[in-house]
């Protein structure tokens, strides 16, 4: 990892994978996968469709059990996937406030997270009226407001427009500067300095 | 506890905003209004059979919300988001059970009054019906939650939920209707026992079903 990040203690491991194997529906996706996410670090998971990127992130989140190996987390994590997990019949601010209550994060965090994703004007809009990109922005804002040190971002750039992409990169950079870590599964290359690449190959092809 | 109250408030508030609180009640009252058309307007017959009939109506009304109890949250990723925060499925289920019971039983008990008037029930029968429903609705709510969790990953969950729930509800119906018919205090104690049992096992059984459905 980088020389520019020497002011932090980089020996703190947030998340580590040891020889992890994953199978879904009787099909082996990957095996023997090992990597570690350190404070301030970033891991970019790449691979073709169906290689198991989303499954790997769910595995890291503890939502799936590995068939072999071990996943160790030393901090809480937040996940952004294709589902926003926001109540459709509430306004953006109300839906985020529910998660803030669950996460015990202070209310001003919601506003600042919305501002950072450029969607402060959406706070009073019902979630069901949001577009795909707006929904994604709000889901990322929920992750920012959660205060969790580990971010697991599954295709976070999907649906984001040209203005939102730099905001996402900026949010990730700020999070890393605060000592957080990020695991990103994406086919879009984001501007991430000092990123570790974990490439998943499609089984049976390569 | 803070998390539990947040979940409870969200579940109850969501049911209120979606208007799903009134659906079972409307169904219950509709059945009560239809019954005299089917068996004829004989007040004696209605008074004798009405109490048991309202128990059947309450049981069928308990089926209505089952297919939406967990489906929206599963589709939206809310259940996953709660799980990755380390919140146990048991407490998620318990919060939903409490919210579902409040949202289902309270309107139903109020609707029992006009329904009893429609069926010419006397005061004693009405009292036993209300007491029985107050004791039996936690069991119906728990069964609904349990079946909703078990059928969550199935395609046509609604139809299968009915097939699963109704046979399991037979004891509740027997004890509830027996108490209404004036069989003494025995049935109501058994009804309370069935209620306690179902409320006690539902968080664990439904929680295990939600966990199993995630992989």
């Amino acid at each position: 990892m980088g020389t520019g990040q020497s002011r932090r203690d980089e020996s703190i491991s947030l998340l580590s994978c040891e020889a992890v194997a994953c199978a879904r529906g009787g099909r082996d996706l990957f095996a023997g996968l090992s990597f570690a996410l350190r404070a301030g670090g970033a891991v970019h998971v790449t691979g073709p469709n169906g290689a198991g990127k989303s499954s790997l992130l769910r595995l890291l989140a503890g939502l799936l059990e590995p068939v072999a190996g071990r996943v160790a987390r030393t901090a809480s994590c937040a996940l952004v996937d294709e589902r926003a997990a926001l109540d459709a019949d509430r306004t953006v601010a109300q839906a985020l406030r529910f998660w803030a209550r669950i996460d015990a994060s202070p209310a001003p965090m919601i506003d600042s997270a919305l501002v950072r994703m450029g969607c402060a004007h959406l706070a009073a809009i019902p979630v069901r009226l949001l577009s795909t990109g707006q929904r994604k922005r709000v889901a990322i804002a929920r992750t920012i407001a959660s205060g969790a040190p580990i971010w697991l971002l599954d295709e976070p750039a999907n649906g984001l427009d040209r203005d939102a992409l730099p905001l996402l990169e900026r949010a990730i950079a700020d999070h890393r500067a605060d000592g957080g870590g990020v695991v990103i599964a994406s086919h879009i290359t984001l501007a991430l300095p000092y990123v570790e690449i974990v490439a998943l190959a499609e089984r049976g092809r390569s | 506890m803070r998390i539990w109250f947040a979940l409870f408030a969200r579940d109850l508030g969501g049911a209120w905003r979606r208007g799903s609180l009134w659906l079972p009640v409307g169904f219950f009252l509709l059945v009560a209004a239809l019954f005299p058309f089917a068996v004829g307007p004989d007040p004696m017959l209605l008074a004798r059979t009405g109490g048991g009939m309202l128990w059947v109506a309450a049981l069928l009304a308990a089926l209505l919300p089952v297919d939406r109890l967990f489906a929206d949250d599963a589709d939206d990723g809310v259940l996953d988001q709660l799980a990755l925060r380390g919140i146990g499925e048991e407490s998620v289920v318990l919060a939903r059970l409490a919210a579902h019971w409040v949202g289902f039983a309270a309107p139903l008990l109020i609707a029992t009054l006009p329904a009893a008037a429609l069926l010419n029930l006397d005061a004693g029968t009405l009292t036993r019906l209300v007491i029985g429903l107050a004791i039996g609705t936690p069991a119906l709510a728990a069964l609904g939650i349990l079946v909703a969790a078990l059928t969550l990953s199935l395609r046509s969950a609604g139809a299968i939920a009915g097939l699963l729930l109704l046979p399991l509800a037979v004891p509740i119906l027997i004890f509830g209707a027996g108490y209404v018919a004036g069989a003494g205090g025995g049935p109501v104690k058994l009804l309370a026992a069935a209620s306690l049992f179902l409320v006690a096992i539902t968080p664990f059984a439904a929680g295990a079903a939600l966990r199993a459905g995630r992989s």
Side-chain angles (χ1 to χ4, degrees):
Chain A
M1 294 251 171
T3 50
Q5 301 175 21
S6 52
R7 62 203 150 92
R8 284 182 302 280
D9 180 8
E10 298 212 354
S11 63
I12 303 171
S13 172
L14 294 173
L15 183 73
S16 68
C17 260
E18 285 166 35
V20 163
C22 175
R24 302 284 287 144
R27 208 166 63 91
D28 290 339
L29 287 173
F30 51 82
L33 191 69
S34 299
F35 66 87
L37 177 71
R38 301 194 178 283
V43 172
H44 189 169
V45 184
T46 62
N49 296 142
K53 299 191 290 291
S54 298
S55 296
L56 174 59
L57 256 58
R58 287 177 67 77
L59 229 148
L60 297 177
L63 296 173
L64 282 180
E65 285 296 317
V67 289
R70 209 170 65 89
V71 175
R73 273 183 309 276
T74 58
S76 59
C77 57
L79 173 74
V80 172
D81 58 8
E82 77 279 14
R83 299 161 307 168
L86 299 166
D87 289 333
D89 54 1
R90 311 226 72 186
T91 67
V92 167
Q94 287 168 331
L96 288 176
R97 213 172 295 139
F98 166 71
W99 289 112
R101 256 200 295 277
I102 296 283
D103 292 327
S105 46
M109 291 259 289
I110 300 173
D111 300 327
S112 75
L114 282 173
V115 168
R116 284 169 69 185
M117 283 316 292
C119 42
H121 60 289
L122 298 177
I125 307 264
V127 170
R128 67 191 151 81
L129 297 181
L130 297 183
S131 73
T132 310
Q134 288 172 328
R135 202 175 294 253
K136 194 63 128 195
R137 285 188 190 216
V138 174
I140 296 166
R142 184 197 65 218
T143 299
I144 296 172
S146 75
I150 305 171
W151 288 5
L152 305 169
L153 309 178
D154 189 358
E155 301 289 0
N158 269 15
L160 290 188
D161 58 21
R162 219 177 306 156
D163 299 334
L165 218 48
L167 294 175
L168 171 63
E169 288 164 351
R170 182 68 198 276
I172 292 174
D174 289 349
H175 180 60
R176 294 173 67 186
D178 285 343
V182 186
V183 180
I184 301 167
S186 175
H187 56 265
I188 296 173
T189 311
L190 292 164
L192 300 171
Y194 314 114
V195 66
E196 182 184 346
I197 307 278
V198 171
L200 299 178
E202 196 172 354
R203 280 265 158 164
R205 285 250 186 113
S206 55
Chain B
M1 221 45 200
R2 168 183 56 80
I3 289 173
W4 193 87
F5 277 114
L7 289 171
F8 175 79
R10 170 178 177 270
D11 292 346
L12 194 58
W16 172 262
R17 277 189 306 278
R18 280 190 295 274
S20 54
L21 295 184
W22 306 111
L23 192 69
V25 170
F27 180 83
F28 179 77
L29 283 175
L30 205 58
V31 172
L34 284 177
F35 189 57
F37 292 118
V39 301
D42 175 10
M44 293 298 291
L45 179 70
L46 286 178
R48 207 170 60 242
T49 56
M53 216 285 311
L54 285 181
W55 258 101
V56 175
L59 176 56
L60 294 177
L63 254 184
L64 286 180
V66 164
D67 64 331
R68 301 319 304 165
L69 275 175
F70 286 111
D72 292 333
D73 281 354
D75 293 344
D76 250 6
V78 174
L79 294 180
D80 282 350
Q81 290 288 341
L82 291 171
L84 76 87
R85 283 163 170 78
I87 300 165
E89 277 76 10
E90 288 77 13
S91 37
V92 174
V93 169
L94 197 61
R96 184 137 314 175
L97 172 58
H100 178 49
W101 178 66
V102 172
F104 170 68
L108 194 75
L109 287 177
I110 296 167
T112 307
L113 299 176
L118 283 169
L119 296 174
N120 190 33
L121 299 187
D122 59 56
T125 310
L126 175 61
T127 312
R128 285 196 299 277
L129 181 65
V130 168
I131 292 174
L133 281 175
I135 295 172
T137 40
L140 293 181
L143 268 182
I145 294 273
L146 184 58
V147 168
L150 285 171
T151 57
L152 184 58
S153 52
L154 302 178
R155 242 160 211 276
S156 53
I160 295 166
L163 288 178
L164 257 173
L165 190 147
L166 292 178
L168 290 172
V170 166
I172 303 165
L173 188 62
I174 292 174
F175 302 143
Y179 181 56
V180 169
V188 81
K189 286 175 191 157
L190 289 168
L191 185 64
S195 241
L196 277 176
F197 175 70
L198 282 168
V199 170
I201 65 159
T202 290
F204 301 103
L210 291 183
R211 246 193 313 278
R214 208 164 55 219
S215 51

